Amino acid sequence: MKIGFCGLGRMGVPMVRCLLRAGHEVHVWNRSAGPAQALAAEGAQVCASPRALADACPWVALCVFDAAAVEAVVFGTDGLAASRGLQVLIDHSSIPPGHTRAFARRLADTQGAQWLDAPVSGGTGGAAAGTLAVMVGGDAAVCEQVTPVLRAYAQRVTYMGPSGAGQVTKLCNQTIVATTIAAIAEAVALAQDAGVDAARLAEALAGGWADSTLLQLFVPRMTQEPPAAQATLDTMLKDLDTVAALARSQGTAIPVAAAAGQHYRLASRQGHGADDVSQLIRVFDPAPGRRA
């Protein structure tokens, strides 16, 4: 297949590499030229603008930071919507469901193309390994049509319902992930303060009710040297703010997620916003990794 991809950040670059490995013809665009040029050396074709990319590819995937970035890439000057060739837009960005629905209507009214909200879970490791989980909102038939392409970087593609349903599902994912990471950080600090080697928690709790993929990933990250950022604290805070806004609009009580959100906000205010999400531990223990 020929497919376009806009947004070559931590997630976008490995996703494009998966598409290339799967044999697809991939056209790319990014605001900064560096990542696009690196992928050009691996076989991607670089386009000068989103519009040029959509002129070349009827299907375009998008993975950018927030709703403002999505709107700029799609509806801005020389944006994707300026092309008459665009047929399907697959938005892997994590943005509010209301924005997704509005953007989808706007694209259908002005350009006639289909919009799928298709946020992902699995982090940069999952993107590189091709094992992401994709949760999709939009037209079910269009989702079925594009799923074979998404399989290049996704282990699971699940259709969740009409426009916005994929974004709601991602917010549920982030609620679980963010609160679990906060609980792990508390447990690590509790062990350290009690004189117990917190680095052994993952081993000690393996197989028990507290065990999880997150426990096994984040105990080492919190008890060793700070890792290179895979997902940042500010990105998680953005998603938790979106969770709070959705909950407020529909009257859902989220006391645990709300409390966790304040921990992420505090970490950001302390200067850790660009750090890996594991560094939430610094809210509870300013010197993580110290020996018991």
Side-chain angles (χ1 to χ4, degrees), residues 13-292:
V13 167
M15 291 164 80
V16 168
R17 285 181 173 142
C18 285
L19 289 167
L20 291 169
R21 285 198 300 267
H24 298 295
E25 179 182 327
V26 188
H27 295 239
V28 298
W29 175 85
N30 194 58
R31 278 197 176 93
S32 57
Q37 294 302 324
L39 288 170
E42 300 177 36
Q45 299 186 41
V46 180
C47 295
S49 67
R51 178 177 183 170
L53 184 144
D55 285 341
C57 305
W59 294 0
V60 175
L62 175 66
C63 190
V64 294
F65 182 68
D66 58 13
V70 171
E71 184 172 24
V73 173
V74 179
F75 300 108
T77 304
D78 281 334
L80 295 171
S83 170
R84 305 313 300 176
L86 182 65
Q87 297 176 9
V88 178
L89 191 152
I90 307 159
D91 183 21
H92 292 308
S93 315
S94 295
I95 66 174
H99 284 73
T100 283
R101 297 185 190 105
F103 290 159
R105 288 192 298 268
R106 184 175 170 187
L107 186 67
D109 290 344
T110 61
Q111 210 272 350
Q114 293 281 343
W115 186 300
L116 296 178
D117 50 297
V120 302
S121 180
T124 54
T131 58
L132 293 173
V134 183
M135 46 224 81
V136 184
D139 186 276
V142 177
C143 175
E144 184 176 358
Q145 187 179 12
V146 304
T147 291
V149 173
L150 301 184
R151 290 286 187 191
Y153 44 74
Q155 180 174 273
R156 182 177 298 105
V157 179
T158 307
Y159 176 72
M160 296 301 297
S163 182
Q167 296 294 354
V168 172
T169 306
K170 177 60 184 287
L171 294 178
C172 293
N173 178 88
Q174 297 302 80
T175 299
I176 295 168
V177 170
T179 55
T180 302
I181 292 172
I184 293 169
E186 289 186 8
V188 167
L190 186 67
Q192 293 281 43
D193 288 345
V196 172
D197 185 1
R200 301 191 65 187
L201 284 175
E203 175 189 357
L205 303 181
W209 279 17
D211 196 14
S212 67
T213 299
L214 291 172
L215 182 80
Q216 297 301 324
L217 284 174
F218 279 92
V219 168
R221 291 187 195 180
M222 291 178 182
T223 56
Q224 299 171 6
E225 288 297 316
Q230 296 189 29
T232 68
L233 284 157
D234 275 350
T235 298
M236 189 66 78
L237 177 59
K238 170 192 70 96
D239 289 344
L240 284 172
D241 282 344
T242 306
V243 169
L246 177 63
R248 188 164 52 249
S249 72
Q250 60 193 26
T252 305
I254 53 164
V256 176
Q262 295 308 306
H263 294 135
Y264 286 86
R265 195 174 311 282
L266 182 58
S268 181
R269 286 180 63 86
Q270 290 175 346
H272 300 296
D275 293 344
D276 185 78
V277 70
S278 64
Q279 297 311 292
L280 185 66
I281 183 63
R282 294 183 178 273
V283 171
F284 306 96
D285 185 350
R290 55 194 163 86
R291 285 297 167 192

